[in-house]
Structure formats: structure tokens, C-alpha cells
Amino acid sequence: MGETQAHHGVTVSNLEAMTAAVAAIGFTQIEGSATEPRNYRNEPGDAVGQMIAPTLGDEIRTWFIENPATRQQIDLVELTADATRLDRPGDSPAQGDLTIGIATDDPEAAYQAMRQAAPELAWSEAAPCPEEDGVSFTVDSQRYVLTRGEPFVYVHYARSGFATAWRFFKNVLGYRIKSLSTQGTGDERWALEGGGGRVELVIEEGTPVAPADAGKRYLGSNHFRLLHADLEAVAERVESSGLGTWFFPPNEAGFSQIIGPTGEFIELYDQSAS
């Protein structure tokens, strides 16, 4: 599957509006040249819809869209059942939530283009983000950074949950974790290495702790992709450690999805598929 790892998924309130917003900054390539979103329902004859219903609700619509210039991919997931949208703070991330960094040549102009393309969405104002040479903002309670650098993702943690997350990433999934400089505010950052692309774990004192069993069932919830996993070994360690729950168990193609012990939702690709 090559080294395309900058794949980030996010729930949205309006699939068409968010598609228009990201199309305005170059996300124009739809998976398989599809002309209609995939629609999964919890009903007989829809095996996928019945499988995902306990976590995502009785109906979802999805687009898998890519920027052909940067190779970044965003999986937009509309949870159409209101009961799946659990209350959560919109101005700060819960554990396992992401800040998604989108690469662009002109962050300020890109933000304006997105907002003008989808004015019906709930946009915050853009704020300078000098550490990423860009701007940050929220849409549908989801945090984004438009950056002149490479695509990235921050995975957010409260300090109380990070020891569990550390064991999960390092001892269960088998990735390396490297300390980065602290921010001088009591926060910390760690680089997750070995899974392809730029992934950072961010420990913030003010991050609220969300129940792990919430999965993706709230606005602002999302997922990310990691490559080069030894899925056979991971499966053994998941069972022995009790850390992590398979959402989609490893298949013959070397693909799986796992919910981590602190709310992470992760696509895992086996080393043979990477």
C-alpha cells in the first residue's frame, strides 16, 4: 500500500458541507471515483452496518477523500443517528481525540476558502499557530491546524491516562516512543515512531477524560492509521494484556481496526501490507 500514512478520519455533522470545505483546499480525489457516499445501516443484508452499529450507531455515511498533491487522506464519517452523538466539551479534546494537521501552501487563505465553501458549519475563528507555521481552528468541535509543513496528527491525553496509553503503543502495538521538548506549561509531547508519518502524543493537564467505551460516538471523535504492525504478535499481546479491543479483527489482507484503552480508534496495517 506504499507509505501513505497521513490518513485521518473524523465524524462530521454534514458530510456534503465538509466535503465542499476540504475540496476547496485540494481534497478532490474520491476513493474508487465513487459518486455517492457509502451508506451503512443496521439492518438485515448489510453485514458492515450490523457490525459497526454497537459503536457507531444504526446508520453512517462516509467519504474517503484524498489530496492528490500531498497524498493526505481524510475519511469523513457522518453519524446520522442523533443518539450516537454524545455530549462532550467542544473547546478542548478528550483523551484519544486528535488535532489534525493539513498541509497547505497558504494557511490563512486555505482557512478562508474552507469557511466560504461551507458557511453552514460551526467554524471558530482561525488563531495563529506559530509552532506549526500555520493557523488553528475548530469545525464540528474537531481541532485542525493548517500548516506549511507536512501533514501530522496530535493524539491528546490527560496525564492520568498516559501511562496506560504508553503501555498500549509500546508494549502491545510495538511502536517506539521518543520524548520531544516540553512546552513550558506542564504539557509534554512524544513522537510515536515506526508507524509511518508524523504522529505525536500530547499530554495536557486540562484534557478531560472521556470514557473509553465512547469509541467514536461523539462529535470531534476521529481515527488515524499506523503501518508496519506485526498483527499476529499484536493479537497475542492484546489478549494477554487486556489493553485494546478489536473493532475489526486482522484479516488476510493485513488490515485491522482497534479501539485503544484510552479511547483511541486506530487503523492498523500489518508489516506485510505496508
Side-chain angles (χ1 to χ4, degrees):
M1 59 168 291
E3 268 296 321
T4 300
Q5 187 278 337
H7 173 100
H8 308 124
V10 60
T11 57
V12 298
S13 63
N14 184 319
L15 188 65
E16 283 73 20
M18 195 61 193
T19 297
V22 295
I25 59 171
F27 285 81
T28 56
Q29 186 169 308
I30 305 294
E31 179 187 22
S33 300
T35 58
E36 295 289 338
R38 290 173 290 180
N39 196 340
Y40 300 116
R41 296 185 176 91
N42 182 18
E43 58 187 29
D46 189 336
V48 174
Q50 292 188 316
M51 179 188 74
I52 65 181
T55 301
L56 300 183
D58 290 334
E59 184 176 1
I60 69 168
R61 301 168 67 235
T62 72
W63 273 125
F64 179 97
I65 189 167
E66 179 175 331
N67 184 324
T70 66
R71 300 294 304 279
Q72 185 171 10
Q73 301 166 345
I74 299 181
D75 193 358
L76 302 175
V77 181
E78 182 183 274
L79 304 183
T80 55
D82 288 340
T84 67
R85 300 193 179 110
L86 305 184
D87 290 337
R88 59 142 296 181
D91 58 353
S92 58
Q95 284 202 122
D97 257 1
L98 311 181
T99 291
I100 297 172
I102 299 177
T104 180
D105 292 336
D106 189 335
E108 293 81 3
Y111 166 78
Q112 294 298 334
M114 292 178 70
R115 188 163 182 169
Q116 290 170 13
E120 63 269 46
L121 294 178
W123 298 86
S124 75
E125 295 300 324
C129 186
E131 65 270 25
E132 296 294 354
D133 193 14
V135 298
S136 63
F137 58 95
T138 65
V139 182
D140 276 348
S141 300
Q142 172 61 49
R143 294 154 61 103
Y144 295 92
V145 174
L146 294 171
T147 175
R148 293 182 179 86
E150 64 179 321
F152 65 86
V153 64
Y154 300 156
V155 190
H156 294 277
Y157 292 98
R159 191 170 302 281
S160 60
F162 186 62
T164 300
W166 173 286
R167 292 195 302 272
F168 174 65
F169 283 115
K170 194 174 192 307
N171 299 335
V172 178
L173 300 188
Y175 295 110
R176 300 181 301 274
I177 301 177
K178 177 183 177 182
S179 177
L180 301 174
S181 61
T182 61
Q183 306 304 299
T185 60
D187 301 341
E188 298 177 18
R189 289 191 184 180
W190 301 77
L192 185 67
E193 299 182 331
R198 180 185 168 196
V199 179
E200 294 184 7
L201 312 179
V202 179
I203 299 90
E204 299 169 309
E205 296 292 352
T207 299
V209 178
D213 60 5
K216 291 178 60 181
R217 296 179 61 175
Y218 50 85
L219 285 176
S221 61
N222 33 43
H223 68 268
F224 60 105
R225 175 181 292 173
L226 294 173
L227 308 178
H228 311 306
D230 182 344
L231 287 183
E232 183 176 356
V234 169
E236 294 177 357
R237 294 191 292 259
V238 167
E239 183 174 355
S240 63
S241 70
L243 296 177
T245 303
W246 294 113
F247 180 72
F248 188 88
N251 63 14
E252 294 181 356
F255 171 76
S256 66
Q257 294 175 320
I258 192 168
I259 298 175
T262 40
E264 308 87 351
F265 194 97
I266 305 167
E267 293 187 353
L268 285 179
Y269 277 87
D270 189 71
Q271 54 198 2
S272 64
S274 302

